[in-house]
Amino acid sequence: MKKLNVEFQELPYAVEEAMNRLRINIKFCGKNTKKILITSSMPNEGKSSIAINLWKMLAEAGFPTVLVDVDLRKSVIKERHHINDTEKLQDLGYYLSGQAEIEDVVYETQVENAYIVPCMNLLENPSALLEDARFAEILDKLAETYRYVIIDSPPLGSVADAAQIASLCDGAVLVVRAGETSRNLIKQSFQQLSQVGCTLLGVILNRVETAGRAYKKYYGKYGKYYKQYGYGEYGRYGQEAASSKDK
């Protein structure tokens, strides 16, 4: 198997602990929850950062885990984590268009148990490729080989791609940016996931100041989800260190 080097940002202690809680919660979702979508309602909510750190931590905990970058229109993972493509690496787009097979687009990384199907070339309109049977096939095959398949998708509120991807997953984690994402938009995201039959595993409230309870008032009846999964430490990290281009 070919190998890629993926650079990871060192996490502050509080962020690492928050991500570890997320990893543990994912573990308790059950053995049949393998294909896990990480998405958001709109861009710049931090979903890609959470997806890649969850992927790494699951692998480090001993679970063979593959990250599939399906944000084919605006992926940031290649640039942010310095994945080198000087050798014209075959990626998910090659597979979906029939120019490569599954074994050609799955790469080992320097982290044991961490594998990746990268997005090296952005596509203007990948919808038809994502609706093709080949996409469902690669997710199913990966789920047979790896304990977890972490899928980074476009935001639900931006394009129809995310709902199509969600329909093929066992569950979804919705990333919400505190103070930015409206309750109506969050409600619409819940409805979209429900309509395509994708279980909502939980919600991560990102970039939140946990001193005080303003966020509970802001999100009203949805607060039960945030309380259950409350990643406040990750939220503080997002404000202090994450790029404004986080997705």
Side-chain angles (χ1 to χ4, degrees):
M1 183 180 290
K2 295 174 288 187
K3 192 169 185 176
L4 281 180
N5 187 72
V6 181
E7 293 186 13
F8 295 97
Q9 188 178 40
E10 185 176 352
L11 300 180
Y13 175 77
V15 181
E16 188 172 358
E17 286 302 299
M19 291 302 304
N20 267 320
R21 289 201 298 275
L22 173 60
R23 175 185 62 80
I24 292 169
N25 282 337
I26 291 295
K27 178 182 175 182
F28 284 112
C29 287
K31 64 180 182 180
N32 293 325
T33 302
K34 305 188 73 173
K35 297 177 288 184
I36 300 173
L37 179 70
I38 309 296
T39 190
S40 58
S41 298
M42 62 183 190
N44 304 318
E45 298 199 77
K47 66 172 181 59
S48 294
S49 294
I50 290 173
I52 203 163
N53 282 295
L54 174 61
W55 163 57
K56 177 174 178 282
M57 286 190 168
L58 286 168
E60 289 176 336
F63 300 105
T65 305
V66 59
L67 174 71
V68 186
D69 186 355
V70 195
D71 197 351
L72 299 174
R73 299 172 190 261
K74 294 184 178 181
S75 173
V76 299
I77 290 178
K78 170 189 167 183
E79 300 284 340
R80 186 178 300 162
H81 297 277
H82 303 100
I83 300 176
N84 194 323
D85 68 339
T86 56
E87 298 179 0
K88 302 298 180 184
L89 300 173
Q90 293 177 310
D91 64 356
L92 180 61
Y94 275 77
Y95 170 79
L96 294 178
S97 61
Q99 300 178 67
E101 297 304 320
I102 294 176
E103 59 270 19
D104 299 321
V105 299
V106 181
Y107 296 84
E108 286 185 289
T109 71
Q110 75 276 18
V111 178
E112 187 177 0
N113 294 316
Y115 303 83
I116 186 171
V117 177
C119 171
M120 308 301 289
N121 304 285
L122 301 183
L123 304 175
E124 290 186 7
N125 185 16
S127 297
L129 294 176
L130 293 174
E131 292 171 6
D132 190 89
R134 286 179 68 84
F135 181 56
E137 180 184 3
I138 190 172
L139 295 185
D140 288 342
K141 292 292 186 182
L142 292 173
E144 291 174 4
T145 305
Y146 302 96
R147 174 60 185 88
Y148 292 107
V149 182
I150 304 299
I151 301 153
D152 183 22
S153 85
L156 284 161
S158 298
V159 292
D161 297 352
Q164 169 62 23
I165 298 165
S167 70
L168 303 172
C169 294
D170 300 321
V173 174
L174 184 69
V175 180
V176 172
R177 182 171 175 176
E180 296 288 336
T181 316
S182 70
R183 284 177 287 183
N184 285 338
L185 195 54
I186 297 167
K187 184 178 179 180
Q188 289 174 17
S189 295
F190 290 168
Q191 291 173 340
Q192 283 180 278
L193 293 172
S194 178
Q195 286 170 357
V196 299
C198 183
T199 301
L200 178 66
L201 300 177
V203 176
I204 296 176
L205 185 60
N206 198 21
R207 303 186 189 184
V208 60
E209 289 292 346
T210 54
R213 303 188 179 186
Y215 74 96
K216 293 182 181 178
K217 181 179 179 181
Y218 177 80
Y219 285 103
K221 64 181 181 180
Y222 302 116
K224 62 181 180 179
Y225 294 106
Y226 309 135
K227 183 177 180 182
Q228 179 181 1
Y229 285 92
Y231 299 109
E233 292 86 347
Y234 197 95
R236 288 201 294 273
Y237 164 70
Q239 284 191 324
E240 295 172 2
S243 164
S244 62
K245 295 181 180 180
D246 269 4
K247 294 169 59 188

